[in-house]
Amino acid sequence: MKRDLTPWLLLPIVALAMLPLMSFSTWLTLTIAGAAMGMMLFLMASGLTLVFGLMDVMNFAHGAFITLGAYLAVTVLGRLSGWGGPDSLAWNLAALAVAVTTGAIATGAVGAVFERVIIRRVYGSHLQQILITMGGLIVAGQLVIVLWGAQPLQVAKPVLLRGSFLLGGAAIETYRLVAVVLGLLVFGIAYLVLNRTRIGLLVRAGVENREMVEALGFRIERLFVAVFVAGAALAGIGGVMWGGYQEVVTATIGDEMTVLIFIVIIIGGLGSVTGCFQAAVLVGLTTNYVGYLTPKLALGSNIALMVLVLLWRPRGLFPVAKQ
């Protein structure tokens, strides 16, 4: 069975098609910025695409985990801002690593409670899932306001990650480059886990045929919990990085990303981490290119992109077959 390589060519085609429309330095700046945005979108969306694809759960409260991660970035980086040497790159990266780790652990724990208390009661009913997760999102937003206040908060981004450096005549923000590296690292780990481990085999088998996995004696419920916790942890990591990227955090930061996240997972194909990665970078590049060339069309560019992709491949770039 031949592998369809056409979706893999989409990213380089889009990127190279934009090169004649602008100077090389501008193109390089927009491409790296788009890739960084795409990596953060991937972090926020990858967990949801697995939850959607494997568990068949429409979790509209996913944005709450992103918001929690962003506020944890405010708290952790604020506490660490006066420690260590601000001129040390190692210290700056270590501070960000602590924030990312804290965000992953905390949101993963909250995700475990959320699955046990709320999601487990509505398996198999999409209408109830939508209603109860939307309610959970509203409650979570109010809890964030209670804990951190209603006013926007500044993220104390590490000093050396605030600047930029010259590459090919273009000014590249250091933080964006770090986001690209982190996104590639997470994608690599997720890909290896899903394709080279026993757990990954069970996840992929559960996506394709849940009944068969259960018939073989595996407890699919535990797998569901693990996937949901991992999805929440990834959303928390994405929230930490997105909060630092925005530099200002509000209680609606996760809600504002929800539509874009659903666009990403629809373009990529439900349940596909590879598709989510490709779609996230594609959305990031499209947003930056269109925003530079025709700012008035930037808002609707991602919806237009989703429509075009679905007209070409109705099940997304990398659909996961389900029996």
Coordinates of all heavy atoms in Angstrom, one line a residue, residues 273-317:
V273 N -1.9 12.8 15.1 CA -0.9 13.8 15.6 C -0.1 14.4 14.5 O 0.3 15.5 14.5 CB 0.0 13.1 16.7 CG1 1.1 14.0 17.1 CG2 -0.8 12.7 17.9
T274 N 0.3 13.5 13.5 CA 1.0 14.0 12.4 C 0.2 15.0 11.6 O 0.7 16.1 11.2 CB 1.4 12.8 11.4 OG1 2.2 11.9 12.1 CG2 2.2 13.3 10.2
G275 N -1.1 14.8 11.4 CA -1.9 15.7 10.7 C -2.1 17.0 11.5 O -2.1 18.1 10.9
C276 N -2.2 16.9 12.8 CA -2.3 18.1 13.7 C -1.0 18.9 13.6 O -1.1 20.2 13.5 CB -2.5 17.6 15.1 SG -2.6 19.0 16.3
F277 N 0.1 18.3 13.5 CA 1.4 19.0 13.4 C 1.5 19.8 12.0 O 1.8 21.0 12.0 CB 2.6 18.0 13.5 CG 3.9 18.6 13.3 CD1 4.5 19.3 14.3 CD2 4.6 18.6 12.1 CE1 5.8 19.9 14.2 CE2 5.8 19.1 11.9 CZ 6.4 19.8 13.0
Q278 N 1.1 19.1 11.0 CA 1.2 19.7 9.6 C 0.2 20.8 9.6 O 0.5 21.9 9.0 CB 0.8 18.6 8.6 CG 1.9 17.6 8.3 CD 2.9 18.1 7.2 OE1 3.6 19.0 7.4 NE2 2.8 17.5 6.1
A279 N -1.0 20.6 10.1 CA -2.1 21.6 10.0 C -1.7 22.8 10.8 O -2.0 24.0 10.4 CB -3.4 21.0 10.4
A280 N -1.2 22.6 12.0 CA -0.8 23.7 12.9 C 0.2 24.6 12.2 O 0.1 25.9 12.3 CB -0.3 23.2 14.2
V281 N 1.3 24.0 11.7 CA 2.3 24.9 11.0 C 1.7 25.5 9.8 O 2.0 26.7 9.5 CB 3.5 24.0 10.6 CG1 4.5 24.8 9.8 CG2 4.1 23.3 11.8
L282 N 0.8 24.9 9.0 CA 0.2 25.4 7.9 C -0.7 26.6 8.3 O -0.6 27.7 7.6 CB -0.7 24.4 7.2 CG -1.3 24.8 5.8 CD1 -0.3 25.2 4.8 CD2 -2.2 23.7 5.3
V283 N -1.4 26.5 9.3 CA -2.2 27.6 9.8 C -1.4 28.8 10.3 O -1.6 30.0 10.0 CB -3.2 27.2 11.0 CG1 -3.8 28.3 11.7 CG2 -4.3 26.3 10.4
G284 N -0.3 28.5 11.0 CA 0.6 29.5 11.4 C 1.3 30.3 10.3 O 1.3 31.5 10.3
L285 N 1.7 29.6 9.3 CA 2.3 30.2 8.1 C 1.3 31.1 7.4 O 1.5 32.2 7.0 CB 2.9 29.2 7.1 CG 4.1 28.4 7.6 CD1 4.5 27.3 6.6 CD2 5.3 29.4 7.9
T286 N 0.1 30.5 7.2 CA -1.0 31.2 6.5 C -1.4 32.5 7.2 O -1.5 33.6 6.6 CB -2.2 30.3 6.3 OG1 -1.9 29.2 5.6 CG2 -3.4 31.1 5.6
T287 N -1.5 32.4 8.5 CA -1.8 33.6 9.3 C -0.8 34.7 9.1 O -1.1 35.9 8.9 CB -2.0 33.3 10.8 OG1 -3.0 32.3 11.0 CG2 -2.3 34.5 11.6
N288 N 0.5 34.4 9.2 CA 1.5 35.4 9.1 C 1.7 35.9 7.6 O 1.8 37.1 7.5 CB 2.9 34.8 9.6 CG 3.0 34.8 11.1 OD1 3.5 35.7 11.7 ND2 2.5 33.7 11.7
Y289 N 1.6 35.1 6.6 CA 1.8 35.5 5.3 C 0.6 36.4 4.9 O 0.8 37.5 4.3 CB 1.8 34.3 4.3 CG 3.1 33.5 4.4 CD1 3.0 32.1 4.2 CD2 4.3 34.1 4.6 CE1 4.2 31.3 4.2 CE2 5.5 33.3 4.7 CZ 5.4 32.0 4.5 OH 6.6 31.2 4.6
V290 N -0.6 36.0 5.1 CA -1.8 36.7 4.7 C -1.9 38.0 5.5 O -2.2 39.1 5.0 CB -3.1 35.9 4.9 CG1 -4.3 36.8 4.6 CG2 -3.0 34.7 4.0
G291 N -1.5 38.0 6.8 CA -1.5 39.2 7.7 C -0.6 40.2 7.2 O -0.8 41.4 7.3
Y292 N 0.5 39.8 6.6 CA 1.5 40.8 6.0 C 1.0 41.3 4.6 O 1.1 42.5 4.4 CB 2.9 40.1 5.9 CG 3.9 41.0 5.2 CD1 4.5 42.0 5.8 CD2 4.2 40.7 3.8 CE1 5.5 42.8 5.2 CE2 5.1 41.5 3.2 CZ 5.8 42.6 3.9 OH 6.7 43.3 3.2
L293 N 0.6 40.4 3.8 CA 0.2 40.8 2.4 C -1.1 41.6 2.4 O -1.2 42.6 1.7 CB 0.2 39.6 1.5 CG 1.5 38.9 1.3 CD1 1.3 37.6 0.5 CD2 2.5 39.8 0.5
T294 N -2.1 41.0 3.0 CA -3.5 41.6 3.0 C -4.1 41.5 4.4 O -4.8 40.6 4.7 CB -4.4 40.9 2.0 OG1 -4.4 39.5 2.2 CG2 -3.9 41.2 0.5
P295 N -3.8 42.5 5.3 CA -4.2 42.4 6.7 C -5.7 42.2 6.8 O -6.2 41.6 7.8 CB -3.7 43.7 7.3 CG -2.6 44.1 6.4 CD -2.9 43.6 5.0
K296 N -6.5 42.8 5.9 CA -8.0 42.7 6.1 C -8.5 41.3 5.9 O -9.6 41.0 6.4 CB -8.6 43.7 5.1 CG -8.4 45.2 5.3 CD -9.1 46.0 4.3 CE -8.9 47.5 4.6 NZ -9.6 48.4 3.7
L297 N -7.7 40.5 5.2 CA -8.2 39.1 5.0 C -7.6 38.1 6.0 O -7.9 36.9 6.0 CB -7.8 38.6 3.6 CG -8.3 39.4 2.4 CD1 -7.8 38.9 1.1 CD2 -9.9 39.4 2.4
A298 N -6.8 38.6 6.9 CA -6.1 37.7 7.9 C -7.1 37.0 8.7 O -6.9 35.8 9.0 CB -5.1 38.5 8.7
L299 N -8.2 37.6 9.2 CA -9.1 37.0 10.1 C -9.8 35.8 9.5 O -10.0 34.8 10.2 CB -10.2 38.1 10.5 CG -11.1 37.6 11.6 CD1 -10.4 37.4 12.9 CD2 -12.2 38.7 11.9
G300 N -10.2 35.9 8.2 CA -10.9 34.8 7.6 C -10.0 33.8 6.8 O -10.5 32.9 6.2
S301 N -8.7 34.1 6.8 CA -7.8 33.2 6.0 C -7.7 31.8 6.5 O -7.7 30.9 5.6 CB -6.3 33.8 6.1 OG -5.8 33.8 7.4
N302 N -7.8 31.5 7.8 CA -7.8 30.1 8.2 C -9.0 29.4 8.0 O -9.0 28.2 7.7 CB -7.5 30.1 9.7 CG -6.1 30.6 10.0 OD1 -5.1 30.2 9.4 ND2 -5.9 31.6 10.9
I303 N -10.2 30.1 8.0 CA -11.4 29.4 7.6 C -11.4 29.1 6.2 O -11.8 28.0 5.8 CB -12.6 30.3 8.0 CG1 -12.7 30.6 9.5 CG2 -13.9 29.7 7.5 CD1 -13.8 31.5 9.9
A304 N -10.9 30.0 5.3 CA -10.8 29.7 3.9 C -9.9 28.6 3.6 O -10.1 27.7 2.8 CB -10.3 31.0 3.2
L305 N -8.8 28.5 4.4 CA -7.8 27.4 4.3 C -8.5 26.1 4.6 O -8.3 25.1 3.9 CB -6.6 27.6 5.2 CG -5.6 26.5 5.3 CD1 -4.9 26.3 4.0 CD2 -4.6 26.8 6.4
M306 N -9.3 26.1 5.7 CA -10.0 24.8 6.1 C -10.9 24.4 5.0 O -11.0 23.2 4.7 CB -10.7 25.1 7.4 CG -11.5 23.8 7.9 SD -12.3 24.1 9.5 CE -13.6 25.3 8.9
V307 N -11.7 25.3 4.4 CA -12.6 25.0 3.4 C -11.9 24.4 2.2 O -12.3 23.4 1.6 CB -13.4 26.2 3.0 CG1 -14.3 25.9 1.7 CG2 -14.3 26.7 4.1
L308 N -10.8 25.0 1.8 CA -10.0 24.5 0.6 C -9.5 23.1 0.9 O -9.6 22.2 0.0 CB -8.9 25.5 0.3 CG -9.3 26.8 -0.3 CD1 -8.1 27.7 -0.4 CD2 -10.0 26.7 -1.6
V309 N -8.9 22.9 2.1 CA -8.4 21.6 2.4 C -9.5 20.5 2.4 O -9.3 19.4 1.9 CB -7.7 21.6 3.7 CG1 -7.3 20.2 4.2 CG2 -6.4 22.4 3.6
L310 N -10.7 20.8 3.0 CA -11.8 19.9 3.1 C -12.4 19.6 1.7 O -12.9 18.5 1.5 CB -12.8 20.4 4.0 CG -12.4 20.4 5.5 CD1 -13.5 20.9 6.4 CD2 -11.9 19.0 6.0
L311 N -12.3 20.5 0.8 CA -12.8 20.3 -0.6 C -11.9 19.3 -1.3 O -12.3 18.5 -2.1 CB -12.9 21.6 -1.3 CG -14.0 22.6 -1.0 CD1 -13.9 23.9 -1.7 CD2 -15.4 21.9 -1.3
W312 N -10.6 19.4 -0.9 CA -9.6 18.5 -1.5 C -9.6 17.1 -0.8 O -9.6 16.1 -1.5 CB -8.2 19.2 -1.4 CG -7.0 18.4 -1.8 CD1 -7.0 17.5 -2.8 CD2 -5.8 18.3 -1.1 NE1 -5.7 16.9 -2.9 CE2 -5.0 17.4 -1.8 CE3 -5.2 19.0 -0.1 CZ2 -3.7 17.1 -1.5 CZ3 -3.9 18.8 0.3 CH2 -3.2 17.8 -0.4
R313 N -9.5 17.2 0.5 CA -9.5 15.9 1.3 C -10.5 16.1 2.4 O -10.3 16.6 3.5 CB -8.1 15.7 1.9 CG -7.0 15.6 0.8 CD -5.6 15.5 1.5 NE -5.4 14.2 2.0 CZ -4.8 13.2 1.4 NH1 -4.5 13.3 0.1 NH2 -4.6 12.0 2.0
P314 N -11.8 15.6 2.2 CA -12.9 15.8 3.1 C -12.6 15.3 4.5 O -13.3 15.8 5.5 CB -14.0 15.0 2.5 CG -13.7 15.0 1.0 CD -12.2 14.9 1.0
R315 N -11.7 14.4 4.7 CA -11.5 13.9 6.1 C -10.2 14.4 6.7 O -9.7 14.0 7.7 CB -11.4 12.4 6.1 CG -12.7 11.7 5.7 CD -12.6 10.2 5.7 NE -12.3 9.7 7.0 CZ -11.6 8.5 7.1 NH1 -11.3 7.8 6.1 NH2 -11.3 8.1 8.4
G316 N -9.6 15.5 6.1 CA -8.4 16.1 6.6 C -7.2 15.6 5.9 O -7.2 14.6 5.0
L317 N -6.0 16.2 6.2 CA -4.8 15.8 5.5 C -4.3 14.4 5.8 O -3.9 13.7 4.9 CB -3.7 16.8 5.9 CG -3.9 18.3 5.5 CD1 -2.7 19.1 6.1 CD2 -3.9 18.4 4.0

